[in-house]
């Protein structure tokens, strides 16, 4: 099945935000003097970013309306949760990346609206 251009852009933005969130969280978790070295919060953000990437692929492949709505809501909650955790960890790059992911989710979900109008005689 061919995906439209907005669908690709939305998917790429969501994946980009997940990769940036993962990379910054792992960096903060491993690097001394970041203030969150070895904390469960930084590791949790890294794991949540991996889950966000997995949700992105599942959302892209979902075709039923109910499943798409559920996955959009779960992805939205994940984006807000990761962004808030990034702010609490003073890793504002993670929060900015989740804003980019939110834009990607909006693009991806607005493209998913399909109207089936049947002519009645």
């Amino acid at each position: 099945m061919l995906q439209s251009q907005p669908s690709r852009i939305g998917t790429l933005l969501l994946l980009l935000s997940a990769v940036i969130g993962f990379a910054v969280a792992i960096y903060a978790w491993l690097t001394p003097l970041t203030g969150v070295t070895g904390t469960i919060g930084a590791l949790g953000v890294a794991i949540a970013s991996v889950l966000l990437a997995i949700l992105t692929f599942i959302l892209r492949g979902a075709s039923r309306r109910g499943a798409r709505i559920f996955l959009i809501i779960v992805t939205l909650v994940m984006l807000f949760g990761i962004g808030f955790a990034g702010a609490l960890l003073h890793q504002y790059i993670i929060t900015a990346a989740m804003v980019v992911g939110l834009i990607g989710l909006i693009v991806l979900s607005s493209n998913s609206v399909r109207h089936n109008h049947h002519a009645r005689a």
Side-chain angles (χ1 to χ4, degrees):
M1 180 167 107
L2 294 174
Q3 297 289 328
S4 65
Q5 187 67 19
S7 176
R8 271 192 217 130
I9 291 172
T11 302
L12 287 175
L13 287 175
L14 269 170
L15 286 176
L16 179 68
S17 69
V19 168
I20 291 172
F22 177 78
V24 172
I26 288 295
Y27 173 80
W29 187 63
L30 294 174
T31 306
L33 300 176
T34 57
V36 293
T37 304
T39 61
I40 193 72
L43 184 61
V45 169
I47 293 170
S49 295
V50 171
L51 292 175
L52 180 64
I54 293 169
L55 272 173
T56 301
F57 287 118
I58 294 172
L59 178 61
R60 184 172 180 177
S63 60
R64 294 180 41 196
R65 183 177 180 202
R68 286 191 65 84
I69 291 171
F70 175 75
L71 289 171
I72 288 169
I73 291 170
V74 170
T75 305
L76 184 64
V77 169
M78 290 285 293
L79 285 169
F80 279 119
I82 295 170
F84 183 67
L88 290 177
L89 293 170
H90 298 285
Q91 301 296 321
Y92 300 109
I93 296 172
I94 295 173
T95 305
M98 294 309 122
V99 171
V100 171
L102 179 62
I103 294 168
L105 181 64
I106 291 169
V107 169
L108 188 62
S109 64
S110 67
N111 187 43
S112 68
V113 177
R114 293 180 181 94
H115 299 287
N116 291 330
H117 297 287
H118 300 287
R120 294 183 186 190

